[in-house]
């Protein structure tokens, strides 16, 4: 059907968005800045709203595998929840880092002392938005191995980190049992799973079990 014909469906209007009229920095910190934005709706200039967002450089994290088929994780105190979390090494990408993968390897070496062995493999799994509601940055997801303990930790003044090695075949249990709760770590591990056809099939099967034709995940 030609769009110019009388019975042609009307094209969908573009989705409304917020347009920034003015912004200011409320607080600057070494980690991120708090930004205040006064906005109006694209489809209604009279509709106004004030937003607050966190502006930060991109982050990275790395799922690193040892020669003994163990995943290098870090247990560290997280001030936001006032508790320890078990997670993959990672941090903020520095301007001097040549790329996200090298940033992830640097963070891993500083936090754990583990480094990539000669001839090791590094794969960039892509990136995601950690929380687009309030953050403007991306987190880059890396997998690397084999790695080995070759140096001492080099921690920042605010870091309290203990390295923990978890056998590969126990990672799924750790996730299921709630031992790993850090969303960015889970994101990296699940993205890694989707690299394989088998992983994609598992996801499709799990989703399909909830379509009303099955009693649950098999």
């Amino acid at each position: 059907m030609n769009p110019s014909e009388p019975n042609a469906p009307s094209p969908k209007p573009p989705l409304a968005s917020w347009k920034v009229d003015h912004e200011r920095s409320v607080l600057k910190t070494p980690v991120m800045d708090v930004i205040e934005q006064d906005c109006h709706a694209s489809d209604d200039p009279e509709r106004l709203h004030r937003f607050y967002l966190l502006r930060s450089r991109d982050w990275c994290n790395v799922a690193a595998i040892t020669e003994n088929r163990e995943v290098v994780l870090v247990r560290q105190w997280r001030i936001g929840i006032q508790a320890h979390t078990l997670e993959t090494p990672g941090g903020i990408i520095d301007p001097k880092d040549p790329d996200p993968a090298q940033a992830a390897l640097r963070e891993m070496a500083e936090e754990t002392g583990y480094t990539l062995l000669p001839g090791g493999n590094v794969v960039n799994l892509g990136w995601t938005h950690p929380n687009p509601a309030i953050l403007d940055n991306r987190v880059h997801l890396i997998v690397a191995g084999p790695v080995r303990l070759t140096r001492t930790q080099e921690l920042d003044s605010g870091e309290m980190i203990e390295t923990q090695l978890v056998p590969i075949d126990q990672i799924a249990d750790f996730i299921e049992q709630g031992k790993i709760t850090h969303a960015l770590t889970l994101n990296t591990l699940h993205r890694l799973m989707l690299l394989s056809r088998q992983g994609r099939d598992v996801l499709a099967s799990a989703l399909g079990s909830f379509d009303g034709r099955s009693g649950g995940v098999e």
Side-chain angles (χ1 to χ4, degrees), residues 13-21 38-51:
L15 288 173
S17 59
W18 291 104
K19 304 297 183 181
V20 180
D21 296 318
D38 291 320
C39 304
H40 71 270
S42 61
D43 60 347
D44 181 2
E46 300 301 315
R47 183 183 175 194
L48 307 177
H49 194 81
R50 175 169 290 173
F51 291 93

Side-chain angles (χ1 to χ4, degrees), residues 45-216:
E46 300 301 315
R47 183 183 175 194
L48 307 177
H49 194 81
R50 175 169 290 173
F51 291 93
Y52 292 89
L53 64 94
L54 303 176
R55 183 165 289 161
S56 174
R57 297 197 302 271
D58 281 3
W59 304 334
C60 62
N61 63 41
V62 54
I65 315 301
T66 71
E67 301 163 281
N68 296 323
R69 296 178 58 82
E70 297 166 312
V71 182
V72 180
L73 298 179
V74 292
R75 186 177 297 280
Q76 60 180 314
W77 181 262
R78 288 304 193 183
I79 201 72
I81 61 172
Q82 293 290 302
H84 291 95
T85 63
L86 190 61
E87 56 195 72
T88 48
I92 298 175
I93 298 176
D94 290 341
K96 68 176 184 293
D97 291 320
D99 55 54
Q102 291 303 311
L105 294 178
R106 174 186 57 75
E107 286 285 348
M108 175 181 65
E110 292 173 355
E111 292 183 359
T112 70
Y114 280 80
T115 59
L116 188 70
L117 290 174
N121 194 26
V122 180
V123 177
N124 191 328
L125 303 174
W127 56 266
T128 63
H129 290 117
N131 188 346
I134 58 172
L135 284 160
D136 70 343
N137 66 337
R138 303 177 297 177
V139 56
H140 298 263
L141 318 173
I142 311 296
V143 60
V147 300
R148 182 187 295 170
L149 182 62
T150 62
R151 49 178 279 188
T152 58
Q153 290 176 303
E154 188 179 335
L155 302 180
D156 293 337
S157 60
E159 291 180 319
M160 298 177 177
I161 294 176
E162 179 182 288
T163 302
Q164 181 170 343
L165 302 181
V166 178
I168 287 175
D169 58 6
Q170 292 182 22
I171 288 293
D173 292 335
F174 271 52
I175 294 173
E176 184 180 19
Q177 295 164 10
K179 295 179 179 179
I180 300 176
T181 60
H182 195 296
L184 301 184
T185 294
L186 295 171
N187 199 17
T188 300
L189 295 172
H190 288 137
R191 179 67 72 92
L192 177 59
M193 180 187 74
L194 294 181
L195 275 183
S196 72
R197 178 71 259 175
Q198 188 178 29
R200 291 173 177 270
D201 290 343
V202 168
L203 177 60
S205 175
L207 290 171
S209 68
F210 289 96
D211 66 359
R213 292 175 289 183
S214 175

Side-chain angles (χ1 to χ4, degrees), residues 19-39:
K19 304 297 183 181
V20 180
D21 296 318
H22 177 263
E23 79 168 37
R24 71 182 185 94
S25 176
V26 177
L27 177 66
K28 286 185 174 293
T29 78
V31 178
M32 59 184 61
D33 297 341
V34 180
I35 305 297
E36 179 184 85
Q37 291 183 338
D38 291 320
C39 304

